[in-house]
Each structure stands twice: as C-alpha cells, then as structure tokens.
Amino acid sequence: MSNFQISLMEQNDIQQSAKVLSIAMLNNPHHIGVFLGNGEKVRLEIEKMFFELFNYLPGVVFLAKENGKIIGVMRMKSCIGKVIDDPDVFGDENDIDWRKSVWFKEWAKYDPVEQHWHLGPIGVMPTHQGLGIGSLLMERFCKEVDACRVKAYLETDLDKNVRFYEKFGFKVISESEIFGVKNRYMLRDTQI
C-alpha cells in the first residue's frame, strides 16, 4: 500500500478537504437528486456546501493523506438531535437552496434525540477507493466513539455503503425517500 497516514484536519486543509469530498461524492444518487446533475457546476456547489459545513458546523475531521496530499476525509460531530418541523411542501423544484432545505429537514427528522456521534461526511477520492482507506478512517471513527461510550449515527444512499457500515456495527434503523432517492439511517449501539 502507498505511503499514507491519518491525521486531524487543520484550518489550511479545509478548502482541499471540501474539494476531495465533492469529487468523492459527486456521483452519489442523493447528490444528483438534490443538485439536479453531476457536472462541474454541481461539483462546485457540493464543494461550497462542504466548505461551509467545515467552517460553520465544525466537528472533528480526520484526513487520509498520501505523500501529503488529501485522499480521504471523515467528519464526526457530537450532537443531540432536535425536533424538526415538516419540510415545506411547496417550493420551486428547480431551486437548489429549497431542495437542500427539504433534504436537511428530512435527514434531521431521523437524527437520534439522545447524545451520539454523527458520522459524515466521509469520502475517499475515486482513484483511491477500494484500497482500505475508508476502512482505516472508519476504524479511527469507531475507536473515538468507543472511547466516549456513546452511540453513533449516519445517513447513506448507497447499498454498497450500507454493507460497508454494517462491518463496523451499524444497523439500518429507518428509511425514507428524498427526491426519488432511497436514504438509509443507521445506528451503531454503544460498545462496551
């Protein structure tokens, strides 16, 4: 395997981390459904979304780097869910901001109300997928969560991701559909 290491994200890593995630997740059915495509314009919108997430809702972010270059990103945040109003039923179907608000509100409805670590986003550059980098990031996540002795939670839209997260003790607890894309909500019980 190549020379890579896991480290914490620093302030000067934020822009590149957002770009890596936008590339890694560009073809996710959910992002295609929300952003109405998967071209470069959409990738830039996704990058902006992750950049804002890192700046305005910081969590603990681990990076996988190969020879100093970011190839994988994993964010975790300690949180407590909250009661969310139903999404606005009416809106401009072509308004990306409205579509994102529908998405975020739908996901928030399933967020556990008790203390937990929320996983996401997590992504590995397409050129480096299948090399065990995602597993290394997940092992680090599980180590951190287990040290806190709390539950962990995530959302995903891909069948292969469900199988991947199940290897780390996550179980599907609910499902919903957003803009025609099936979303799975997964929980990992406290490990003793």
Side-chain angles (χ1 to χ4, degrees), residues 96-145:
I96 299 303
D97 289 330
W98 178 79
R99 295 177 76 82
K100 287 185 340 188
S101 76
V102 169
W103 164 28
F104 297 149
K105 286 179 183 178
E106 179 68 12
W107 271 13
K109 288 187 339 189
Y110 296 89
D111 204 358
V113 293
E114 69 271 4
Q115 178 72 41
H116 63 280
W117 278 98
H118 196 131
L119 173 66
I122 178 173
V124 175
M125 289 292 285
T127 56
H128 289 76
Q129 290 176 6
L131 301 177
I133 296 164
S135 292
L136 285 174
L137 288 168
M138 283 302 297
E139 287 166 6
R140 182 61 183 259
F141 172 80
C142 292
K143 178 182 173 184
E144 299 295 329
V145 168

Side-chain angles (χ1 to χ4, degrees), residues 2 7 11-12 33 44 46 55 58 63 77 81 116 121 145-146 149-150 152 154 164 176 185-186:
S2 298
S7 62
Q11 188 72 28
N12 62 353
L44 290 170
I46 296 169
N55 279 292
L63 304 177
K77 181 166 178 41
H116 63 280
V145 168
D146 292 347
R149 297 183 182 219
V150 295
L154 62 85
F164 174 74
S176 75
Y185 307 94
M186 302 184 75

Side-chain angles (χ1 to χ4, degrees), residues 3-153:
N3 178 26
F4 68 91
Q5 64 280 348
I6 305 295
S7 62
L8 285 166
M9 182 175 74
E10 296 184 24
Q11 188 72 28
N12 62 353
D13 294 320
I14 290 176
Q15 187 68 56
Q16 187 62 32
S17 297
K19 183 175 184 177
V20 165
L21 285 170
S22 73
I23 294 167
M25 302 175 91
L26 181 61
N27 291 316
N28 281 32
H30 187 74
H31 286 147
I32 292 170
V34 169
F35 291 96
L36 300 172
N38 65 344
E40 180 62 10
K41 182 178 176 187
V42 168
R43 189 200 65 73
L44 290 170
E45 281 292 319
I46 296 169
E47 180 178 334
K48 177 183 171 198
M49 178 183 70
F50 288 134
F51 180 82
E52 290 172 353
L53 176 74
F54 292 143
N55 279 292
Y56 303 119
L57 288 172
V60 179
V61 182
F62 289 96
L63 304 177
K65 291 184 177 182
E66 179 181 50
N67 300 319
K69 184 178 177 185
I70 300 169
I71 55 171
V73 180
M74 177 201 61
R75 175 182 173 268
M76 56 190 290
K77 181 166 178 41
S78 178
C79 63
I80 298 172
K82 55 186 176 259
V83 177
I84 300 295
D85 294 332
D86 285 334
D88 299 329
V89 199
F90 303 104
D92 179 356
E93 286 284 329
N94 295 313
D95 179 5
I96 299 303
D97 289 330
W98 178 79
R99 295 177 76 82
K100 287 185 340 188
S101 76
V102 169
W103 164 28
F104 297 149
K105 286 179 183 178
E106 179 68 12
W107 271 13
K109 288 187 339 189
Y110 296 89
D111 204 358
V113 293
E114 69 271 4
Q115 178 72 41
H116 63 280
W117 278 98
H118 196 131
L119 173 66
I122 178 173
V124 175
M125 289 292 285
T127 56
H128 289 76
Q129 290 176 6
L131 301 177
I133 296 164
S135 292
L136 285 174
L137 288 168
M138 283 302 297
E139 287 166 6
R140 182 61 183 259
F141 172 80
C142 292
K143 178 182 173 184
E144 299 295 329
V145 168
D146 292 347
C148 296
R149 297 183 182 219
V150 295
K151 294 180 180 184
Y153 174 79

